[in-house]
Structures are given as structure tokens and as C-alpha cells.
Amino acid sequence: MFDEARLVDVMAESLGIKRIKGEGERPFVIRCLYSACRFWVEAFCLDDGYGGNEGIRRQLIARRLRAWLVEVSEIYPGILEWFGKQNGGEDNLIVKPLYEQTIMVGDIISENQGRTYRCARPHKVPYANNACALIGLCDVSSQAIRNQGILSGMMISISYPSDSGHFFNEETYNPKWWDLPDAYSAWVPLADLPDVEYFDPSARKWRLREPSSWRPDFPEHAEHVLARTRGAYSNDYYFVKLRKNGQWALQVDTDKALNLSLHVRKSYGKPLQATIELLDDNHAKIRAPFGLLPAETSRWMDYMTWPVRGLEDRVYRIIRRELLESAIHMLKVCELEIKES
């Protein structure tokens, strides 16, 4: 007879998840379940009655994932709080970040504008020098993957000879878009914009939606300037460039505004910081403002790490040390200062 209490031990063995030195039972169980959610979501999308060709709706993915976690919680009480169980009970259990993550990286895909999702065919995505992520349907218990693959968070990484180098490099992923030539950009006179405010890198608390991060006066000696105008429902962000004939503004999206705000803080001498703590021979903890990173970096960092304090933890993450160098590279590209504790 199968011993239910050994469920997570069997799961950890199949997934190749190692216990961190000094790690308690509850955090170990949660890490195993977090990683397993990727493969459960893939399996859900195969179980559509048509061999996985039709896919299933998001609502059904959420219900099945929620039901599975509730069932496991009967064996391991107390885990649902980490996943965001609300006072309303299991029906309010937060699972959207779990399956959204698989959508963002392409583990499950939609071919009908998001009505249904199916599991993607297995394929490799290079993300670092000589390393790639295995995306889509994946048998993590196969001997080939067990011999070569490293599971960190939800991502399986394997060695993969490639001439392309880092996916996050200066050519294919360069946040310094403000250094590009002015040609073909729709610049407008800054004076034509109403109610302009300017990003203040000296602010103690800051993020793009934080009122204290903005000031009304133009920072005269700044090399690069990020501005915003207050719209009726949201903010419009602009990169301001100084020319001989005045100040000109280029409208940018939120992600580019984040890029520039990180650069402005670093230029001002107040860069965001990431702290690395080595936990044992196989794991490290990263403390960083993950919620403030550009979308592409945030997407991959979420995929290759385990949250610590809860499903929506945007500060503390655990990563396998084999992937740590790549994670540090991604953070440095975003101009974060790296410190070791």
C-alpha cells in the first residue's frame, strides 16, 4: 500500500528536488508542490478528451489546480496559507500566478485568442551561455533529463552548446534603449504636455505609481530624465531629451519607464540592490525587488526560482546554485548592484 505521508518524498525524488540544509518539512513540501504545479498544469491541458489537441479553459485549469492542492493539504495541513488561502476558504485559494507562469514562458499555449490552452510541444529556449530551458511537455523523470537537467523553481535547465550566448545580452536584451538614435521616433515638445512631473531618484520610497517618487521641477543636471503626465485613468510616461532647441519628449511604455528609472537611480548613486546568500552547496537565496524588474527579466526570474514567504513573494527567492550565475547576470543587465551576505 502507498504511504500517503511519503507523497512529497516520492515527488521530490521524481523531480530531483534536494532538501536545503536545515530546511523544515513545511517549506520543503511547499517547494516540491510549487515545482510540481508546472507538470500538473501540463497534464491538465492534455486531459481535454481530444488527446490534448483542443486544450482547456483557464477557469478549468484553476479549478483542477485548486482541487489538487486542497487534496494534498489533507495530507500536509497548513500549506494552503502559503498559497494564499483567504478567509473565504478553499474556493478563494490563489492559483492564478501558478498557471499564468506556464503561459508566460510558453509551457502551455493558446491558438484561439486565449479561449483554451494546450500543452506545448517540447522545445529548448537558450537563456544563458551554453544553457537552455526545457519548455513544454517534459518527462522530468526520464533518465536523460535526470542525468542532465537541473530543476530550479519550475524551470528545467540543461547544458546546451550554443553560439548565441546569453539571451539577456547587450544586443538582444538591452534596457539602455534611450541611447538609440533619434531617427524614426515620434518626439514632441515637452512644453506641449500638460501637468508634467519628473522622476525623483532621491526619493526614499519609490516605484512608478508612488506619488512621492515624482516632483514638479525639472532636474536640470540629470543626464537622463523620466517624466509623466497624469491621465484620467493612468499615467503616461515620457523620456525627455535635451536639444539645442529645447526639451523633447518620447512616449514610452511602462516597461521602458521601469528600465529608465533603474538607470536614473544608478546614475544618481542609489542603485537598487540584490543580496545573494549561499544556503548550502546546491542552493542560494536572492533578496531583490523582483516586482520592480522589467517584465522579461521578472518572467524568467519567477520561472527559475522558488518564492520563500508566499506564492506572491516579490522579495525573497531561492535558486539552484547551478543557475545562480545566470540570475546574477540578468540582474546586472537591469543595473542592480549585487552584494553577497
Side-chain angles (χ1 to χ4, degrees):
M1 178 179 286
F2 178 71
D3 183 359
E4 289 185 338
R6 291 197 61 247
L7 172 64
V8 165
D9 292 330
V10 173
M11 192 182 300
E13 183 178 352
S14 297
L15 297 174
I17 297 177
K18 298 182 179 181
R19 193 182 293 264
I20 301 171
K21 183 178 180 180
E23 185 176 28
E25 186 67 14
R26 182 175 180 270
F28 179 64
V29 169
I30 288 171
R31 280 201 306 119
C32 291
L33 293 178
Y34 179 84
S35 296
C37 282
R38 167 193 169 175
F39 305 102
W40 272 101
V41 168
E42 291 176 354
F44 295 158
C45 292
L46 290 172
D47 186 21
D48 61 357
Y50 299 92
N53 291 322
E54 294 296 323
I56 60 177
R57 293 176 293 111
R58 286 188 188 218
Q59 296 91 327
L60 185 54
I61 296 175
R63 287 201 300 271
R64 288 184 173 183
L65 189 54
R66 188 180 294 116
W68 177 67
L69 290 172
V70 170
E71 186 177 350
V72 174
S73 73
E74 296 176 1
I75 305 173
Y76 300 97
I79 63 170
L80 294 185
E81 284 71 20
W82 188 91
F83 286 93
K85 177 182 175 182
Q86 305 297 308
N87 295 332
E90 284 80 5
D91 288 342
N92 290 329
L93 182 64
I94 299 172
V95 295
K96 184 177 180 180
L98 294 169
Y99 66 80
E100 285 283 355
Q101 205 150 285
T102 64
I103 294 172
M104 295 295 283
V105 299
D107 274 327
I108 61 174
I109 59 175
S110 176
E111 295 174 337
N112 51 21
Q113 290 76 50
R115 291 195 297 273
T116 61
Y117 287 84
R118 65 174 180 83
C119 185
R121 294 180 181 275
H123 57 285
K124 301 180 180 72
V125 176
Y127 72 92
N129 287 328
N130 300 318
C132 69
L134 295 183
I135 305 295
L137 182 62
C138 182
D139 180 8
V140 72
S141 63
S142 71
Q143 197 61 44
I145 294 179
R146 292 176 70 91
N147 290 340
Q148 301 179 45
I150 299 294
L151 177 66
S152 183
M154 290 186 181
M155 189 175 88
I156 298 176
S157 174
I158 64 171
S159 298
Y160 184 71
S162 172
D163 296 330
S164 60
H166 275 282
F167 174 73
F168 293 86
N169 59 42
E170 293 302 317
E171 293 181 0
T172 60
Y173 185 75
N174 179 13
K176 300 181 181 64
W177 52 267
W178 48 86
D179 288 335
L180 297 176
D182 293 351
Y184 309 112
S185 296
W187 295 87
V188 297
L190 181 65
D192 290 352
L193 301 178
D195 303 322
V196 178
E197 297 177 311
Y198 305 94
F199 180 72
D200 183 4
S202 65
R204 293 186 60 186
K205 292 183 178 181
W206 77 274
R207 58 180 62 223
L208 294 183
R209 295 187 179 275
E210 172 63 43
S212 62
S213 299
W214 303 87
R215 66 189 198 188
D217 55 309
F218 187 85
E220 296 292 344
H221 302 291
E223 181 181 1
H224 297 94
V225 178
L226 174 65
R228 73 172 183 178
T229 58
R230 303 299 300 273
Y233 301 101
S234 62
N235 297 314
D236 292 326
Y237 300 106
Y238 294 86
F239 166 47
V240 180
K241 197 161 191 176
L242 304 180
R243 296 178 180 171
K244 292 181 180 179
N245 57 344
Q247 301 162 354
W248 291 77
L250 175 67
Q251 187 168 11
V252 297
D253 58 30
T254 302
D255 212 44
K256 284 188 175 180
L258 266 175
N259 293 150
L260 183 54
S261 68
L262 294 174
H263 178 73
V264 169
R265 278 187 64 94
K266 184 174 182 181
S267 300
Y268 188 78
K270 296 185 67 174
L272 292 184
Q273 295 181 346
T275 303
I276 310 298
E277 178 186 355
L278 303 182
L279 301 176
D280 59 20
D281 292 340
N282 298 301
H283 303 88
K285 182 190 290 185
I286 304 174
R287 183 185 187 278
F290 294 103
L292 299 178
L293 298 179
E296 190 70 17
T297 305
S298 180
R299 179 183 310 158
W300 281 92
M301 292 297 294
D302 287 350
Y303 193 53
M304 65 198 296
T305 61
W306 290 279
V308 176
R309 298 182 299 183
L311 178 58
E312 298 185 292
D313 188 351
R314 308 301 292 153
V315 178
Y316 295 96
R317 315 284 293 199
I318 290 173
I319 189 170
R320 283 290 297 258
R321 287 184 61 172
E322 293 90 340
L323 280 66
L324 181 58
E325 181 183 350
S326 296
I328 290 175
H329 177 82
M330 294 178 191
L331 295 172
K332 285 183 175 179
V333 167
C334 293
E335 303 203 58
L336 270 69
E337 182 179 81
I338 308 299
K339 291 189 173 183
E340 294 187 10
S341 66

